Amino acid sequence: EALNLEIFPPWMDRTILELARAGTGPGDATALAGLDLLQHLVFFLASKPNCVSHTVPDFSLAIGRGLAALVKTARARAAAASDPEVAACFLGMGEVLEGIVACSRRLADEAERLAERETRADRRAELETLARIHRRVPEHPAATFREGLTTVWTCWIALHVENVNIGLSLGRLDQVLYP
C-alpha cells in the first residue's frame, strides 16, 4: 500500500522515458517511434535471453570496510598496476564507488530538506534518521544493522543503474548482515 500510494506516484512522471516522452511533440513521429522502439528494446534486454549467469555481489566489503576504504584500495591498485588498462579499470572502479557515496549524500540532503518542511514529528524524526544514516554509510563501515541494510540497499540500487535486474542476487543477507 505504501509503495502504490506514497512512494511510486511522485516518480511516475519522472523516469527518463517519461521525461523524454514529455519533451517530444505530438507531431514528432520519428521521436515517438524511437521511444516505442526503446520500450521494446528495454523489454527484450530485461528478459531471459540477456541472463547468462547469476551474480551475488560481496556486500560484506561495503558493510565492513565502507566504500571510502574500497576507493582507497582501488586507487592504490591503479597506482601499482603496470598495465595502463588495468590501472584505468581500478580508477574506474574507484569513480563508481565515489558516485555511490555522492548519491547517498544527495539522499541525505533530500531527507534533511523534507524533514525541515515536515509537520508530523514522527515523520520528521524518520527523515532525520535517514539523513544521519546516509551521511555515514555506505561511505564508512556500518555500525548497526540498519546501517548495514542501508549500505546493501544503496549499493543494490547502484548496481541496477547500469545493469538489467535479472541475474543479480542479494545473496545470503542473513550471513552478511548478522555481524
Side-chain angles (χ1 to χ4, degrees):
E1 185 176 330
L3 287 173
N4 287 330
L5 299 178
E6 296 173 34
I7 297 168
F8 291 152
W11 297 100
M12 295 301 288
D13 296 331
R14 295 166 78 184
T15 66
I16 291 174
L17 183 60
E18 290 308 315
L19 290 172
R21 190 183 323 279
T24 303
D28 193 348
T30 304
L32 291 172
L35 288 172
D36 187 51
L37 177 63
L38 176 64
Q39 286 181 285
H40 286 85
L41 180 64
V42 168
F43 177 77
F44 172 75
L45 289 176
S47 65
K48 278 286 190 196
N50 192 46
C51 184
V52 176
S53 66
H54 290 278
T55 303
V56 181
D58 186 0
F59 293 114
S60 66
L61 290 174
I63 293 169
R65 294 183 58 204
L67 297 187
L70 299 179
V71 168
K72 188 176 179 180
T73 298
R75 287 182 181 155
R77 288 189 176 182
S82 58
D83 182 342
E85 288 187 21
V86 171
C89 182
F90 280 116
L91 288 174
M93 288 178 193
E95 287 181 27
V96 168
L97 296 174
E98 287 171 334
I100 297 169
V101 170
C103 178
S104 190
R105 288 178 185 159
R106 285 193 302 276
L107 290 171
D109 291 344
E110 181 65 6
E112 287 170 351
R113 187 186 71 76
L114 292 172
E116 288 174 6
R117 297 183 343 191
E118 184 56 57
T119 57
R120 292 182 8 229
D122 60 334
R123 180 64 179 148
R124 186 180 328 98
E126 287 175 353
L127 291 164
E128 289 168 349
T129 298
L130 284 173
R132 181 179 41 77
I133 290 171
H134 276 285
R135 292 251 177 258
R136 177 165 165 66
V137 296
E139 183 174 6
H140 303 289
T144 66
F145 174 79
R146 187 163 182 186
E147 287 180 1
L149 192 59
T150 300
T151 296
V152 168
W153 189 249
T154 304
C155 292
W156 183 250
I157 295 302
L159 283 168
H160 283 84
V161 168
E162 290 293 331
N163 295 291
V164 294
N165 61 1
I166 296 177
L168 287 174
S169 172
L170 287 167
R172 295 288 310 270
L173 290 181
D174 58 323
Q175 293 176 356
V176 174
L177 292 171
Y178 182 76

